[in-house]
Amino acid sequence: MNAAPIRPPRPDELEALVAIERDAGALFATVGMPEIAHDDPGFPAELEPFRAAGHAWVAVDADDRPIAYLVSTVVDDCAHVEQVSVAPAHAHRGLGAALIDHLGGVAAAEGRAALTLTTFRDVPWNAPYYERLGFRVVAPADQGPELAALVAEEAERIPGHAPRVAMRRAVR
């Protein structure tokens, strides 16, 4: 289980978060999704607004270096997982779950009812993983207007044709 401390990232660590996402994303090639594996993970400047707003956290190793991260937004008054990535060398240690649980604590303190996210339906470390963490698929008819708009935008922007789903977990 995870024993890694979780804290907000420092500005000088944002490049490391991009590298974590790039390395984690490469795993999509192993499930026949090379277009996702080679998708641009973005730039540190794109992560700065999350950090500055207090919507970013990192799990760190014994040397206080980021090995996983999560950034969030607010969608339909729920805490929304915008991105969670774990460095492949540190996978399967509960880091992603710990970061999501951390966000759950933040959401509870803010009075939010749930966490939401969007993800690939059939990728083992996506929807099936989040189901094990207590998330459930939200049918299109049950999505709030912001979540529905996000799902539609992702359908246009994300390369490939793998089905995506919106998911929700009540704040614990």
Side-chain angles (χ1 to χ4, degrees):
M1 201 51 158
N2 172 56
I6 294 174
R7 63 166 172 76
R10 295 184 295 266
D12 66 336
E13 295 174 323
L14 298 181
E15 183 68 45
L17 305 190
V18 171
I20 289 169
E21 185 173 344
R22 182 181 302 109
D23 292 346
L27 295 175
F28 282 95
T30 68
V31 292
M33 299 173 73
E35 66 281 359
I36 301 301
H38 300 297
D39 194 37
D40 181 3
F43 299 96
E46 295 170 309
L47 295 173
E48 174 56 22
F50 295 101
R51 190 202 66 77
H55 291 273
W57 298 272
V58 293
V60 296
D61 65 12
D63 295 320
D64 197 38
R65 293 181 303 226
I67 54 176
Y69 81 97
L70 181 148
V71 293
S72 71
T73 59
V74 175
V75 174
D76 294 322
D77 203 33
C78 295
H80 183 79
V81 177
E82 181 68 26
Q83 179 68 38
V84 61
S85 292
V86 176
H90 298 277
H92 309 294
R93 297 181 189 175
L95 297 171
L99 285 163
I100 289 169
D101 287 345
H102 182 82
L103 178 61
V106 170
E110 293 175 348
R112 303 201 186 282
L115 305 179
T116 60
L117 56 83
T118 59
T119 193
F120 291 107
R121 183 187 71 196
D122 301 320
V123 174
W125 61 87
N126 279 202
Y129 168 74
Y130 295 119
E131 285 178 342
R132 290 191 301 276
L133 298 183
F135 284 84
R136 298 295 171 250
V137 172
V138 180
D142 297 327
Q143 295 171 8
E146 294 173 344
L147 187 57
L150 181 60
V151 170
E153 183 271 328
E154 287 180 356
E156 292 292 320
R157 178 179 49 83
I158 295 176
H161 302 288
R164 289 185 63 79
V165 293
M167 302 183 82
R168 177 184 169 105
R169 178 177 99 179
V171 170
R172 299 176 184 174

